[in-house]
Amino acid sequence: ANRLSTAILVKPRDQFRLPYLITVDNQSDLMLKSVILDNAGKPLERLQFVNIQIGGEFDTLEVSADAIAPCQETSINDASASYQPSWIPPGYVSVLTDVDPRSNQIMTTFSDGLASFSVFVESAQISAMLPPFLSSNGATSAVSIKVDMGAFELTVSVVGEISMETAEKIAR
């Protein structure tokens, strides 16, 4: 973006996170570039400004109260409610849990302040229709496995900016 900046390499202290290369504008402290790397240093995903104007006036954005949907309490009437990951990488905390009342799917998002991943637990009825899979695209990994709960199976999917190996370990 034709601005003087400082590059910062954020190296993980464990094998469960991905390294980042972040470039910060020296004058405004605005992040101009973020590159998520694999553990070998190969770029997986890049976000960067190629042209930016800092300063000036902003238009005011007004959001009406009607545009914000109120939260509704939902009850969980399914065995999927009893499933919680037995392991998450150190330093990650749960930041959001949501339940789809139509399918009883539970989604919990975890973050360490930089990266995040979500764990989806499907009901036994929906799990019967879903195949397991492994996939990655850029820095995003997706793993979906069957978990035997004794009398039934649940499908547990993990999606996020973590390595495939970490996503598999969380799902299992």
Side-chain angles (χ1 to χ4, degrees), residues 72-77 98-102 104:
Q72 297 179 357
E73 284 191 31
T74 58
S75 62
I76 305 169
N77 299 318
D98 192 25
V99 178
D100 182 339
R102 294 166 293 155
N104 274 338

PDB file of all heavy atoms in Angstrom, residues 72-77 98-102 104:
ATOM      1  N   GLN A  72     -33.180 -15.494  21.515  1.00  0.00           N
ATOM      2  CA  GLN A  72     -34.256 -16.301  22.064  1.00  0.00           C
ATOM      3  C   GLN A  72     -33.663 -17.483  22.789  1.00  0.00           C
ATOM      4  O   GLN A  72     -32.702 -18.073  22.328  1.00  0.00           O
ATOM      5  CB  GLN A  72     -35.174 -16.800  20.944  1.00  0.00           C
ATOM      6  CG  GLN A  72     -35.871 -15.684  20.207  1.00  0.00           C
ATOM      7  CD  GLN A  72     -36.758 -16.232  19.096  1.00  0.00           C
ATOM      8  OE1 GLN A  72     -36.803 -17.418  18.857  1.00  0.00           O
ATOM      9  NE2 GLN A  72     -37.467 -15.342  18.439  1.00  0.00           N
ATOM     10  N   GLU A  73     -34.256 -17.817  23.932  1.00  0.00           N
ATOM     11  CA  GLU A  73     -33.807 -19.008  24.653  1.00  0.00           C
ATOM     12  C   GLU A  73     -34.322 -20.241  23.932  1.00  0.00           C
ATOM     13  O   GLU A  73     -35.435 -20.253  23.425  1.00  0.00           O
ATOM     14  CB  GLU A  73     -34.336 -18.994  26.085  1.00  0.00           C
ATOM     15  CG  GLU A  73     -33.591 -18.032  26.977  1.00  0.00           C
ATOM     16  CD  GLU A  73     -33.961 -18.234  28.424  1.00  0.00           C
ATOM     17  OE1 GLU A  73     -34.273 -19.373  28.831  1.00  0.00           O
ATOM     18  OE2 GLU A  73     -33.929 -17.244  29.154  1.00  0.00           O
ATOM     19  N   THR A  74     -33.489 -21.251  23.868  1.00  0.00           N
ATOM     20  CA  THR A  74     -33.909 -22.501  23.253  1.00  0.00           C
ATOM     21  C   THR A  74     -33.592 -23.634  24.211  1.00  0.00           C
ATOM     22  O   THR A  74     -32.659 -23.551  25.011  1.00  0.00           O
ATOM     23  CB  THR A  74     -33.175 -22.759  21.929  1.00  0.00           C
ATOM     24  OG1 THR A  74     -31.767 -22.772  22.181  1.00  0.00           O
ATOM     25  CG2 THR A  74     -33.496 -21.698  20.904  1.00  0.00           C
ATOM     26  N   SER A  75     -34.381 -24.668  24.118  1.00  0.00           N
ATOM     27  CA  SER A  75     -34.096 -25.833  24.949  1.00  0.00           C
ATOM     28  C   SER A  75     -33.460 -26.900  24.082  1.00  0.00           C
ATOM     29  O   SER A  75     -33.719 -26.972  22.891  1.00  0.00           O
ATOM     30  CB  SER A  75     -35.377 -26.359  25.591  1.00  0.00           C
ATOM     31  OG  SER A  75     -36.276 -26.768  24.583  1.00  0.00           O
ATOM     32  N   ILE A  76     -32.629 -27.698  24.687  1.00  0.00           N
ATOM     33  CA  ILE A  76     -31.937 -28.761  23.976  1.00  0.00           C
ATOM     34  C   ILE A  76     -32.537 -30.079  24.426  1.00  0.00           C
ATOM     35  O   ILE A  76     -32.422 -30.455  25.580  1.00  0.00           O
ATOM     36  CB  ILE A  76     -30.423 -28.723  24.278  1.00  0.00           C
ATOM     37  CG1 ILE A  76     -29.855 -27.346  23.948  1.00  0.00           C
ATOM     38  CG2 ILE A  76     -29.707 -29.812  23.519  1.00  0.00           C
ATOM     39  CD1 ILE A  76     -28.461 -27.139  24.454  1.00  0.00           C
ATOM     40  N   ASN A  77     -33.202 -30.759  23.504  1.00  0.00           N
ATOM     41  CA  ASN A  77     -33.860 -32.021  23.838  1.00  0.00           C
ATOM     42  C   ASN A  77     -33.214 -33.158  23.083  1.00  0.00           C
ATOM     43  O   ASN A  77     -33.883 -33.957  22.462  1.00  0.00           O
ATOM     44  CB  ASN A  77     -35.357 -31.940  23.480  1.00  0.00           C
ATOM     45  CG  ASN A  77     -36.053 -30.859  24.254  1.00  0.00           C
ATOM     46  OD1 ASN A  77     -35.803 -30.705  25.443  1.00  0.00           O
ATOM     47  ND2 ASN A  77     -36.914 -30.114  23.594  1.00  0.00           N
ATOM     48  N   ASP A  98     -24.141 -21.764  20.429  1.00  0.00           N
ATOM     49  CA  ASP A  98     -25.435 -21.515  19.805  1.00  0.00           C
ATOM     50  C   ASP A  98     -26.101 -22.853  19.508  1.00  0.00           C
ATOM     51  O   ASP A  98     -25.432 -23.836  19.207  1.00  0.00           O
ATOM     52  CB  ASP A  98     -25.246 -20.717  18.512  1.00  0.00           C
ATOM     53  CG  ASP A  98     -26.555 -20.179  17.956  1.00  0.00           C
ATOM     54  OD1 ASP A  98     -27.508 -19.988  18.734  1.00  0.00           O
ATOM     55  OD2 ASP A  98     -26.629 -19.952  16.738  1.00  0.00           O
ATOM     56  N   VAL A  99     -27.417 -22.879  19.608  1.00  0.00           N
ATOM     57  CA  VAL A  99     -28.186 -24.085  19.329  1.00  0.00           C
ATOM     58  C   VAL A  99     -29.199 -23.758  18.246  1.00  0.00           C
ATOM     59  O   VAL A  99     -29.909 -22.753  18.337  1.00  0.00           O
ATOM     60  CB  VAL A  99     -28.929 -24.582  20.592  1.00  0.00           C
ATOM     61  CG1 VAL A  99     -29.759 -25.811  20.281  1.00  0.00           C
ATOM     62  CG2 VAL A  99     -27.943 -24.860  21.709  1.00  0.00           C
ATOM     63  N   ASP A 100     -29.254 -24.593  17.210  1.00  0.00           N
ATOM     64  CA  ASP A 100     -30.276 -24.462  16.179  1.00  0.00           C
ATOM     65  C   ASP A 100     -31.495 -25.233  16.670  1.00  0.00           C
ATOM     66  O   ASP A 100     -31.452 -26.463  16.749  1.00  0.00           O
ATOM     67  CB  ASP A 100     -29.773 -25.022  14.854  1.00  0.00           C
ATOM     68  CG  ASP A 100     -30.782 -24.870  13.731  1.00  0.00           C
ATOM     69  OD1 ASP A 100     -31.994 -24.702  14.022  1.00  0.00           O
ATOM     70  OD2 ASP A 100     -30.373 -24.926  12.557  1.00  0.00           O
ATOM     71  N   PRO A 101     -32.594 -24.554  17.009  1.00  0.00           N
ATOM     72  CA  PRO A 101     -33.746 -25.249  17.582  1.00  0.00           C
ATOM     73  C   PRO A 101     -34.426 -26.216  16.607  1.00  0.00           C
ATOM     74  O   PRO A 101     -35.084 -27.156  17.031  1.00  0.00           O
ATOM     75  CB  PRO A 101     -34.698 -24.114  17.985  1.00  0.00           C
ATOM     76  CG  PRO A 101     -34.261 -22.935  17.207  1.00  0.00           C
ATOM     77  CD  PRO A 101     -32.803 -23.124  16.912  1.00  0.00           C
ATOM     78  N   ARG A 102     -34.245 -26.008  15.307  1.00  0.00           N
ATOM     79  CA  ARG A 102     -34.867 -26.898  14.326  1.00  0.00           C
ATOM     80  C   ARG A 102     -34.156 -28.240  14.252  1.00  0.00           C
ATOM     81  O   ARG A 102     -34.781 -29.283  14.130  1.00  0.00           O
ATOM     82  CB  ARG A 102     -34.891 -26.249  12.945  1.00  0.00           C
ATOM     83  CG  ARG A 102     -35.789 -25.004  12.886  1.00  0.00           C
ATOM     84  CD  ARG A 102     -35.540 -24.217  11.642  1.00  0.00           C
ATOM     85  NE  ARG A 102     -34.180 -23.680  11.747  1.00  0.00           N
ATOM     86  CZ  ARG A 102     -33.417 -23.350  10.727  1.00  0.00           C
ATOM     87  NH1 ARG A 102     -33.838 -23.495   9.518  1.00  0.00           N
ATOM     88  NH2 ARG A 102     -32.217 -22.861  10.912  1.00  0.00           N
ATOM     89  N   ASN A 104     -31.413 -29.125  16.466  1.00  0.00           N
ATOM     90  CA  ASN A 104     -30.686 -29.399  17.716  1.00  0.00           C
ATOM     91  C   ASN A 104     -29.178 -29.473  17.501  1.00  0.00           C
ATOM     92  O   ASN A 104     -28.473 -30.089  18.277  1.00  0.00           O
ATOM     93  CB  ASN A 104     -31.186 -30.662  18.413  1.00  0.00           C
ATOM     94  CG  ASN A 104     -32.373 -30.361  19.308  1.00  0.00           C
ATOM     95  OD1 ASN A 104     -32.573 -29.221  19.720  1.00  0.00           O
ATOM     96  ND2 ASN A 104     -33.156 -31.366  19.590  1.00  0.00           N
TER      97      ASN A 104
END
